[in-house]
Amino acid sequence: MKDKRIIVALLLTALFVIKIPQEGWRFIFWVLGGVSFSAMLDFFINKVIFKKVILPKSAVITGFIVSGVLDHHQDWLILILFCALAIISKHIIKFKGHHIFNPANFGLFFAALFKLPLTWKIESNIFLIIVVGLYLAYFYKKLFHVAGFLLFFITLSSVVAINAFAIISWFFIFIMLIEPKTSGYGIVRGFVFGSIAGTASFLLFRFIPTIDFFVTALFIANAFNPILEKIKR
Amino acid sequence: MEHFIHIVLHYLKEIIPALAIGFFISGLVHEFIPEDIVLKYLGAKGIKPILYSTLIGTFLPVCCWGTLPIAVSFYKKGARLGPILSFLIATPATSISALLVAYSVLGLQFTAYIFFAVIVMGVVVGLIGNTIKYTPKGLKEEDICPHCKLDSSHIHTHKKTPFQRVISILKYAYIELPKEIGVELFLGLILAALVSTFVPIGRLIRLYLSGWLSYIFSVIFGIIMYICSTATVPLVDSLIKQGMNPGAGMTLLLIGPVTSYGTLLVLRKEFGMKVLTIFLVSLTVISLLLGLGFQVLQGNSLRADEPALSNVKEVNLEAFQYGFSPDPLVIKKGEDVKLVITSRDVTHGVHIKEYNINVAAKKGETSYAEFLPGKAGEFEIICSIYCGSGHNSMKGKLIVKE
């Protein structure tokens, strides 16, 4: 499979299906609603504003992540609002022609700011996530992002006697952190990006744990993208 | 009625000493920091005039109506748009008397944050304003100084004797300023007392304004209604005491004094639709973000030292990786409940959607959530803060019995 986004979409579908027996019908409609809406909105924006016809594969992944992480008991309007925010951010917030914020994370960050519960239902099987995620990180050349994150998050947590493995989100690391377009390429850049995310995650967990620390940390790391681009690959 | 009068008197007792000092300092500022000094710093380029106009505006005792003619005259004299917008925001958003009243009613944390937030708001909107190209309007008849008939775009002052200065300070502090904001201040107090007295208003606030809807309320109410910065303080205090989200209260404190429906009309007429739109959008976004920031800093839970109401039943709830104890949590319908929430391991979030409860439970700390279970049935308790790989399955049950 040349386009690895299909693998990501298949992994997300599998994780979604695994969770269905526990969560029921509303969860099915919630996730499918988020995916369809995100895909349609992205297709519409590309067609009407940018006069391009593109199969919205990235938007499908964005829809899966937003709806899979956001609590599915919330109002439908909330799902639409944050999926739209995620997709629109990709087209509006750009630096040197490409977006700097992971779209799904952007939407989720604002959901977290509004104190909406992020239940991360999509993280239904960590073994599947780690296996496929390692393959994706290797293929996308993002292993150093993961290494930077883990090194800083685990070391800092150990200093204050917190077992980092008890709170780590593998879904966040292998699906959200290594998103190809918004996490930068190159060994040094990747490591620095991962380190910023790891350090921010730890600091937020330690000092402001009331806000979702992974989502906020990735938002912070993404904000560093324009500076990180100055680092040679 | 007795309760209502009692609350009005309580607020008066709280704010009158602060107002007296605040008005006096405002009189001093008014006398010794004349508008021409402000103008001198507004015309320059770069970030400095924005900082100056924001800082000066923060202390100047002028409401949003009073700020408008000053801003319009600066605009006509060719000042850059950035400092003008900063001035339009920072000046009405707060003043010395408002800060003193905020300190006496809401405490140091609120006051320090308001001061910081107004500066951030002024600087950010100013920087946005500096990126807009516009052509200043020409000088008109009314721009001529009434005292010396000079073109008032030239910086000049009129000499006064020390006695005249004292009279001027006292006149401004205790006659002109109370005349300018007295009615609004009184209305603000009445509104605050109404919110605190009327049980249905309190219920409505607890139902709808404890969550994110409160931000929408604050923005719309703040943009349309005019309440001066000093009068907003007791109103926000009473709204928060009735259960309004403190972050939304902060948003209301920031946006309420800056705009009103009337000032928007004047702004559109004088500066044009483009500037008005940019002003409103940036003001709304920044005040929302600052409100959210305040909420994050405060945490979503009630303070641990908050006194318990006598007729409230306390129920313990412990969160742990990955469940709640007791599970199910059984309570009786119609009986006021105070959840005493603790965490066994890491930080968890206790979220009960149907009762609009979303409280953080930090390890080693106790959080509280009060609610009136008005609906019998079974409700899900979920963890709203990521707490580990089992977070997605962490849930409990709340049973409300008839």
Side-chain angles (χ1 to χ4, degrees), chain A residues 19 22-23 71 73-74 78 113-115 117-121 123 166-169 208-210 213-214, chain B residues 212 292 295-296 321-322 346-347 351 353 358 360 362 380 382 384-389 391-393 395:
Chain A
K19 199 68 187 167
Q22 265 185 298
E23 302 301 330
D71 173 36
H73 297 100
Q74 300 301 312
I78 287 182
L113 273 187
F114 275 92
K115 293 271 170 190
L118 305 185
T119 48
W120 296 76
K121 295 285 177 195
E123 195 180 44
I167 45 169
I168 254 175
S169 166
I208 319 174
T210 47
F213 50 100
F214 287 128
Chain B
W212 64 278
L292 284 165
Q295 190 187 337
V296 171
Q321 280 176 324
Y322 299 100
V346 295
T347 300
H351 179 72
K353 185 176 177 265
N358 193 8
K362 293 183 200 171
E380 215 169 60
I382 58 165
S384 57
I385 293 171
Y386 192 86
C387 57
S389 56
H391 169 70
N392 65 83
S393 303
K395 55 175 97 167

Side-chain angles (χ1 to χ4, degrees), chain A residues 48-178:
Chain A
V48 175
I49 300 173
F50 301 105
K51 312 284 179 210
K52 290 187 285 189
V53 177
I54 295 171
L55 200 62
K57 284 183 237 171
S58 302
V60 167
I61 294 170
T62 302
F64 257 123
I65 298 174
V66 173
S67 55
V69 172
L70 203 56
D71 173 36
H72 65 280
H73 297 100
Q74 300 301 312
D75 295 336
W76 293 97
L77 187 67
I78 287 182
L79 177 67
I80 290 170
L81 186 73
F82 290 101
C83 282
L85 189 65
I87 297 296
I88 291 168
S89 77
K90 185 170 78 171
H91 295 286
I92 290 180
I93 307 170
K94 288 185 174 182
F95 179 75
K96 290 184 179 170
H98 57 89
H99 57 284
I100 54 169
F101 287 103
N102 176 329
N105 190 72
F106 189 87
L108 290 171
F109 170 70
F110 280 95
L113 273 187
F114 275 92
K115 293 271 170 190
L116 289 167
L118 305 185
T119 48
W120 296 76
K121 295 285 177 195
I122 199 82
E123 195 180 44
S124 57
N125 188 312
I126 55 167
F127 303 107
L128 191 60
I129 293 167
I130 292 172
V131 172
V132 183
L134 276 171
Y135 169 72
L136 289 169
Y138 172 75
F139 175 81
Y140 282 130
K141 297 190 175 92
K142 304 277 183 180
L143 283 171
F144 281 91
H145 295 62
V146 176
F149 179 88
L150 288 176
L151 182 70
F152 276 79
F153 190 66
I154 294 169
T155 311
L156 291 169
S157 301
S158 308
V159 171
V160 288
I162 293 171
N163 175 12
F165 290 100
I167 45 169
I168 254 175
S169 166
W170 299 105
F171 180 87
F172 168 77
I173 294 174
F174 286 118
I175 305 293
M176 294 170 73
L177 182 78
I178 62 165

Side-chain angles (χ1 to χ4, degrees), chain A residues 8 26 36 69 81 93 110 114 161-162 188 220 224 230:
Chain A
V8 179
R26 190 177 166 95
S36 329
V69 172
L81 186 73
I93 307 170
F110 280 95
F114 275 92
I162 293 171
V188 181
I220 293 168
F224 275 92
K230 289 178 183 164

Side-chain angles (χ1 to χ4, degrees), chain B residues 102-117:
Chain B
Y103 178 66
S104 67
V105 175
L106 295 166
L108 181 65
Q109 198 186 7
F110 247 95
T111 315
Y113 194 86
I114 295 168
F115 183 70
F116 153 81

Side-chain angles (χ1 to χ4, degrees), chain B residues 100-308:
Chain B
L100 284 170
V101 171
Y103 178 66
S104 67
V105 175
L106 295 166
L108 181 65
Q109 198 186 7
F110 247 95
T111 315
Y113 194 86
I114 295 168
F115 183 70
F116 153 81
V118 169
I119 291 173
V120 171
M121 242 177 18
V123 170
V124 175
V125 177
L127 289 173
I128 294 170
N130 263 2
T131 61
I132 305 165
K133 283 186 179 172
Y134 84 107
T135 322
K137 291 180 179 177
L139 223 74
K140 285 183 185 170
E141 280 285 317
E142 62 262 35
D143 299 324
I144 306 296
C145 174
H147 303 288
C148 57
K149 307 294 174 201
L150 265 176
D151 166 10
S152 58
S153 62
H154 295 120
I155 295 161
H156 64 282
T157 48
H158 302 282
K159 281 189 177 173
K160 284 178 186 170
T161 61
F163 180 71
Q164 278 175 320
R165 280 206 183 275
V166 172
I167 294 294
S168 177
I169 291 166
L170 294 176
K171 191 181 163 198
Y172 184 80
Y174 299 113
I175 297 173
E176 288 178 26
L177 205 52
K179 225 196 271 178
E180 193 175 300
I181 65 167
V183 177
E184 283 84 8
L185 193 57
F186 183 69
L187 278 176
L189 278 178
I190 298 294
L191 267 176
L194 277 176
V195 170
S196 300
T197 317
F198 269 97
V199 177
I201 297 178
R203 281 263 160 101
L204 278 177
I205 292 166
R206 280 167 75 174
L207 266 176
Y208 296 107
L209 297 185
S210 58
W212 64 278
L213 264 180
S214 55
Y215 285 94
I216 297 174
F217 164 81
S218 290
V219 167
I220 297 172
F221 185 78
I223 284 179
I224 297 171
M225 292 295 290
Y226 171 66
I227 318 170
C228 76
S229 53
T230 316
T232 319
V233 175
L235 177 63
V236 168
D237 175 59
S238 63
L239 285 168
I240 290 173
K241 277 182 181 158
Q242 291 293 332
M244 189 195 206
N245 185 322
M250 179 56 73
T251 300
L252 182 58
L253 271 172
L254 293 173
I255 207 167
V258 178
T259 64
S260 68
Y261 184 66
T263 53
L264 295 184
L265 293 178
V266 179
L267 272 173
R268 194 184 66 171
K269 189 183 156 207
E270 295 292 340
F271 296 91
M273 196 62 197
K274 187 180 159 190
V275 172
L276 173 65
T277 311
I278 291 166
F279 176 75
L280 269 186
V281 171
S282 41
L283 180 67
T284 305
V285 172
I286 299 162
S287 59
L288 274 175
L289 287 175
L290 287 165
L292 284 165
F294 185 70
Q295 190 187 337
V296 171
L297 281 179
Q298 278 235 318
N300 207 23
S301 55
L302 296 171
R303 300 284 104 204
D305 55 358
E306 194 146 304

Side-chain angles (χ1 to χ4, degrees), chain B residues 49-109:
Chain B
I50 293 175
L51 285 172
Y52 287 141
S53 61
T54 307
L55 284 173
I56 293 168
T58 308
F59 292 106
L60 272 186
V62 188
C63 69
C64 73
W65 283 105
T67 319
L68 268 175
I70 305 172
V72 169
S73 72
F74 292 155
Y75 171 66
K76 288 175 180 170
K77 288 164 193 170
R80 290 172 71 84
L81 198 56
I84 293 175
L85 292 186
S86 304
F87 186 78
L88 271 172
I89 284 179
T91 311
T94 191
S95 62
I96 293 167
S97 56
L99 288 172
L100 284 170
V101 171
Y103 178 66
S104 67
V105 175
L106 295 166
L108 181 65
Q109 198 186 7

